[in-house]
Amino acid sequence: TGAKNISFTGLVLNFQNIDYTGFHHVGTETYKDCIINGCVWTYAPVAVFDGCTLNQTGDAYNVRIYGAAEVSINNCDFTSYCKSILIYSESANEYDVTIDNSTFYAENNDGKAAVQMHTELGVHGTLRFNNTTVSGNYADINGGLYNEINKSTGVATENFTVIIDGVEAGYELVESLAEVNAALADPEVKGVQITNAIAIGEGEDVLTDFIDLYKKFKTPKKHLKEFGVQCKNYEGEFYGKPFKDRQRSILYLYSEP
């Protein structure tokens, strides 16, 4: 209706499970300490759910993230029939979704995780989970937490960067050189995240910067691949270029001749 923002606090909100049901033409939509029954579609550029209980008894989602580019879900409890959140649009929208300190429970299993990303029309972005758990009967995909898929083809996609408790999905948190080498040998691992670059090492063999780390990597040429390294709590240079906290560098790993 042209309102700049819309906010609900301490209310019971009942939504029907009807497509495109939500609040259009608003700047920010906020739900705080509410009980939300049924399926709500987010349309505002920014949507916030804080301290809410979301219930769904039908074969529908609790929340469909549709028009909202930035979504924050904090301290919320989801109970669903079989699925909780869908990120999808008919255009190639970019989304930034953060879910903190929340729980998800599903009564039934129809092959979906708590958060579904359907990418057939190009949606992409970043999805973060912090201190968030799932239980019940979600599909056993990524621990039931999320599932990114092109629904038209049934093929898994990688349009989203997924970060779980600070570690990017597909990466392993490592604290020793032995763990780095083990990660290199695992084809399912995309990269490693190092808690502290200065601390990683064995005995007196401490890595002081990423040049040293690069020199330690060994893998047969037939396994040549890109491998990511993320570092937290570190700021320095990588081959003369600034390398700041949590920035990723892609290293090409190979055996010395």
Side-chain angles (χ1 to χ4, degrees):
T1 59
K4 183 175 182 181
N5 300 310
I6 189 168
S7 179
F8 303 93
T9 301
L11 299 177
V12 176
L13 303 173
N14 297 310
F15 292 91
Q16 294 181 329
N17 295 331
I18 299 175
D19 285 352
Y20 308 106
T21 300
F23 300 97
H24 299 250
H25 312 299
V26 297
T28 299
E29 56 184 295
T30 302
Y31 306 85
K32 181 174 176 58
D33 299 329
C34 290
I35 296 174
I36 301 173
N37 300 314
C39 179
V40 57
W41 291 57
T42 61
Y43 284 97
V46 177
V48 178
F49 296 82
D50 186 9
C52 294
T53 298
L54 298 99
N55 304 309
Q56 177 59 266
T57 58
D59 187 8
Y61 293 93
N62 299 88
V63 176
R64 293 189 64 153
I65 297 173
Y66 185 70
E70 181 180 335
V71 179
S72 175
I73 298 170
N74 185 45
N75 287 318
C76 291
D77 296 316
F78 290 77
T79 298
S80 67
Y81 180 78
C82 58
K83 52 196 176 186
S84 296
I85 296 175
L86 173 63
I87 304 174
Y88 169 80
S89 177
E90 282 89 359
S91 57
N93 289 353
E94 181 174 1
Y95 295 96
D96 190 333
V97 179
T98 300
I99 303 174
D100 292 330
N101 307 308
S102 296
T103 65
F104 292 87
Y105 174 79
E107 293 281 354
N108 300 281
N109 184 338
D110 76 341
K112 293 182 173 62
V115 179
Q116 290 281 130
M117 303 97 91
H118 293 173
T119 60
E120 54 270 20
L121 295 178
V123 297
H124 59 284
T126 302
L127 173 62
R128 302 177 186 85
F129 296 96
N130 295 297
N131 192 33
T132 292
T133 60
V134 297
S135 61
N137 296 295
Y138 293 108
D140 188 17
I141 304 169
N142 299 312
L145 197 58
Y146 71 94
N147 181 30
E148 180 184 336
I149 191 169
N150 179 323
K151 193 177 178 183
S152 298
T153 64
V155 176
T157 58
E158 294 185 350
N159 288 16
F160 282 79
T161 298
V162 180
I163 302 171
I164 303 173
D165 293 325
V167 180
E168 184 175 333
Y171 281 62
E172 288 192 358
L173 184 65
V174 295
E175 297 180 349
S176 71
L177 198 58
E179 290 180 351
V180 172
N181 291 330
L184 283 171
D186 187 345
E188 299 299 319
V189 177
K190 295 192 299 184
V192 293
Q193 186 181 90
I194 301 166
T195 304
N196 192 322
I198 298 175
I200 188 170
E202 296 176 339
E204 299 299 320
D205 184 17
V206 177
L207 304 177
T208 58
D209 58 35
F210 275 85
I211 300 295
D212 288 343
L213 180 61
Y214 179 79
K215 291 177 180 177
K216 295 294 181 183
F217 282 147
K218 304 289 183 183
T219 188
K221 287 184 177 180
K222 65 180 181 180
H223 297 305
L224 182 66
K225 62 179 181 178
E226 289 185 347
F227 202 77
V229 174
Q230 295 179 335
C231 183
K232 298 178 69 175
N233 308 320
Y234 174 78
E235 186 168 341
E237 290 189 349
F238 180 72
Y239 281 95
K241 297 181 179 180
F243 190 97
K244 294 185 178 181
D245 184 42
R246 296 190 65 178
Q247 181 178 339
R248 183 199 300 182
S249 175
I250 298 297
L251 306 179
Y252 291 86
L253 311 177
Y254 56 88
S255 303
E256 293 180 358

